[in-house]
């Protein structure tokens, strides 16, 4: 066959493909509705976006097939530029590959009817070549989007964490956290410690561990501090144990449980104060609750800790009755000796023991425990210096 006749034949094939573009796209969409359950479940607007991609893909193939030997397929802009960027969030790369596969199957099933049996093999060869480039282009688009989204998410997450640590949380913080995938409605705690020497994958490791344990998480580096904010928490210390291995040497402090993300600044404030004061208790457990560091925090100048010791320890003991407060003071002043306190108070040692158990019942601290005794002693001193208002 002469080159001229080959050219005319090729032009005829292209013309037939152009005429079939619409029917082929319609057939592909119908086949997707039949085979792809995720496509059927999509909102109408998003399905129309996928339809645009199908139509653009078939049209771009026909345009390239006019001269397939001298032009390398470049389908990225021709196909993926037709749909909104939101389509990347609506369907995954795997689903995009499924769309390409369905389109190829439709062309293979109908190409002989469109161009005839003689020209069908050449068209199919072009379809396979072009679809390979489409798959590469799709992977490139998704990779580029993931890289851009990752950088944006990292900056947004750093902003949210910084706002919470500075006590500037508001409803805007909740909205930004939601964009990062935060879904927890309650049970929020803040965990703070020092970062490890090698920080390359620390943040990603914390995210994986937190999500594996079932918590929502926001995390990041704040100077020489590593911060993790967890949501969906019931026991803060237990939650922190799932992450503690990702922190560097030194104390890891867990802030109190708060009801929501907007309130996380309160937990963060206690955790930061605890980290500053943790050196005052070298034998503290790891992780340690910020509430367990109340004495050290109060001595380091944390007025919230002072108020908490007075309101949560001194005042309840005082309300339990003058003799309970007097007995506790005598016990602490006589070297934590039940017998010495009994002699000082002119009562039986069992009376002292009974009153000390009353202290435990009221505030949950055991006077005979060395650490609890230290906390009680400091609370009594602060209570005398800063008596709370009756209300």
């Amino acid at each position: 066959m002469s080159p001229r006749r080959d050219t005319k034949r090729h032009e005829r094939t292209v013309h037939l493909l152009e005429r079939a573009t619409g029917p082929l796209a319609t057939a592909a969409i119908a086949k997707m509705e039949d085979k792809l359950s995720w496509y059927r479940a999509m909102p109408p607007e998003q399905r129309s976006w996928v339809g645009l991609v199908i139509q653009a893909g078939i049209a771009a193939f026909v345009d390239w097939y006019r001269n397939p030997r001298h032009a390398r397929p470049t389908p990225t802009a021709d196909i993926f530029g037709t749909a909104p960027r939101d389509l990347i969030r609506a369907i995954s790369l795997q689903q995009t590959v499924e769309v390409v596969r369905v389109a190829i199957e439709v062309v293979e099933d109908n190409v002989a009817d469109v161009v005839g049996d003689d020209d069908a093999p050449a068209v199919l060869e072009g379809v396979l070549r072009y679809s390979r480039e489409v798959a590469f282009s799709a992977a490139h688009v998704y990779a580029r989007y993931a890289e851009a989204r990752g950088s944006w998410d990292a900056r947004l997450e750093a902003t949210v964490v910084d706002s919470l640590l500075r006590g500037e949380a508001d409803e805007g913080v909740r909205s930004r956290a939601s964009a990062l995938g935060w879904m927890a409605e309650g049970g929020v705690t803040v965990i703070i410690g020092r970062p490890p020497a090698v920080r390359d994958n620390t943040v990603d490791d914390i995210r994986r561990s937190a999500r594996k344990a079932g918590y929502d998480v926001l995390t990041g580096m704040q100077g020489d501090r590593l911060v993790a904010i967890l949501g969906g928490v019931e026991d803060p210390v237990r939650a922190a144990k799932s992450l503690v291995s990702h922190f560097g040497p030194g104390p890891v402090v867990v802030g109190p449980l708060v009801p929501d993300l907007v309130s996380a600044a309160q937990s963060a404030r206690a955790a930061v104060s605890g980290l500053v004061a943790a050196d005052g208790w070298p034998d503290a457990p790891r992780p340690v609750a910020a509430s367990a560091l109340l004495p050290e925090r109060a001595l380091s100048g944390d007025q919230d800790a002072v108020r908490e010791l007075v309101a949560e320890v001194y005042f309840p003991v005082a309300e339990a009755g003058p003799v309970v407060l007097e007995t506790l003071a005598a016990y602490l002043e006589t070297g934590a000796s039940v017998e010495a306190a009994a002699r000082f108070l002119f009562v039986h040692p069992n009376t002292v023991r009974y009153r000390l158990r009353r202290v435990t019942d009221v505030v949950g601290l055991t006077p005979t425990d060395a650490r609890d005794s230290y906390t009680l002693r400091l609370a009594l001193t602060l209570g005398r210096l800063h008596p709370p208002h009756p209300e």
Side-chain angles (χ1 to χ4, degrees):
M1 186 179 294
S2 68
R4 185 173 180 180
R5 290 188 64 186
D6 281 345
T7 301
K8 286 186 176 181
R9 182 175 178 178
H10 183 73
E11 290 176 352
R12 172 183 169 278
T13 301
V14 171
H15 177 68
L16 292 173
L17 288 172
E18 285 179 333
R19 290 178 56 187
T21 297
L24 288 174
T26 301
I29 292 170
K31 190 165 186 175
M32 284 194 297
E33 290 180 347
D34 180 57
K35 294 187 62 175
L36 305 179
S37 58
W38 59 264
Y39 177 77
R40 293 193 299 271
M42 294 179 76
E45 182 183 29
Q46 293 179 359
R47 278 189 291 170
S48 70
W49 294 344
V50 177
L52 284 175
V53 171
I54 290 287
Q55 293 176 23
I58 295 175
F61 164 72
V62 174
D63 188 59
W64 167 78
Y65 191 72
R66 293 179 190 278
N67 190 13
R69 297 184 179 181
H70 299 94
R72 181 181 177 181
T74 55
T76 303
D78 294 337
I79 299 176
F80 299 104
T82 62
R85 288 179 59 84
D86 288 346
L87 181 61
I88 298 177
R89 291 193 289 268
I91 67 172
S92 67
L93 176 60
Q94 179 180 350
Q95 290 168 337
T96 302
V97 172
E98 290 178 351
V99 169
V100 173
R101 183 181 296 117
V102 167
I104 292 173
E105 290 175 357
V106 167
V107 173
E108 289 176 340
D109 292 342
N110 294 276
V111 66
D113 295 335
V114 173
V115 302
D117 292 334
D118 292 340
D119 294 326
V123 174
L124 285 175
E125 181 183 350
V127 167
L128 293 176
R129 180 181 172 190
Y130 194 80
S131 62
R132 182 188 65 180
E133 295 297 330
V134 170
F136 286 143
S137 295
H140 177 72
V141 168
Y142 276 85
R144 189 170 56 188
Y145 173 79
E147 182 179 359
R149 179 63 188 266
S151 298
W152 169 252
D153 283 356
R155 291 194 294 271
L156 183 60
E157 188 170 17
T159 300
V160 172
V161 171
D162 185 63
S163 296
L164 293 172
L165 260 64
R166 293 194 305 177
E168 298 176 354
D170 54 20
E171 288 301 321
V173 167
R174 192 197 303 271
S175 175
R176 290 190 288 273
S178 177
L180 293 167
W182 182 276
M183 300 176 63
E185 293 295 331
V188 176
T189 189
V190 177
I191 305 164
I192 298 181
R194 304 300 179 190
V198 179
R199 308 183 182 187
D200 293 347
N201 300 314
T202 299
V203 169
D204 290 335
D205 290 341
I206 285 179
R207 290 196 189 102
R208 279 192 292 269
S209 294
R211 288 165 182 162
K212 182 179 179 181
Y215 304 118
D216 280 0
V217 62
L218 297 169
T219 185
M221 303 284 184
Q222 292 284 317
D224 63 345
R225 298 181 300 204
L226 176 59
V227 182
I229 303 167
L230 298 184
V233 175
E234 295 181 359
D235 183 336
V237 174
R238 180 180 177 184
K241 287 180 179 177
S242 65
L243 305 182
V244 71
S245 62
H246 302 304
F247 287 80
V252 176
V253 183
V254 188
L257 198 65
V258 293
D260 52 38
L261 188 63
V262 175
S263 306
Q266 175 186 344
S267 184
R269 187 164 59 248
V272 170
S273 170
L275 187 64
V276 171
D279 288 342
W281 186 13
D283 296 327
R286 188 176 189 266
V288 59
S291 58
L293 289 163
L294 280 174
E296 289 75 19
R297 290 168 53 198
L299 291 172
S300 68
D302 182 350
Q303 293 304 307
D304 288 340
V306 171
R307 285 189 288 270
E308 189 170 345
L309 280 170
V310 173
E312 303 297 330
V313 180
Y314 175 81
F315 198 31
V317 173
E319 282 190 323
V323 295
V324 176
L325 183 61
E326 181 185 33
T327 301
L328 177 61
Y331 173 77
L332 296 173
E333 293 294 339
T334 55
S337 169
V338 171
E339 289 75 15
R343 289 193 298 270
F344 181 81
L345 296 170
F346 301 102
V347 297
H348 193 277
N350 284 342
T351 302
V352 174
R353 293 187 180 95
Y354 170 78
R355 293 173 182 174
L356 294 180
R357 284 197 297 271
R358 179 71 179 134
V359 172
T360 303
D361 293 340
V362 170
V363 295
L365 297 173
T366 304
T368 55
D369 176 83
R371 177 66 189 178
D372 288 356
S373 175
Y374 174 63
T375 302
L376 288 163
R377 187 179 184 88
L378 186 59
L380 260 62
T381 302
L382 292 172
R384 293 163 184 154
L385 293 173
H386 307 281
H389 296 293
E391 64 270 16

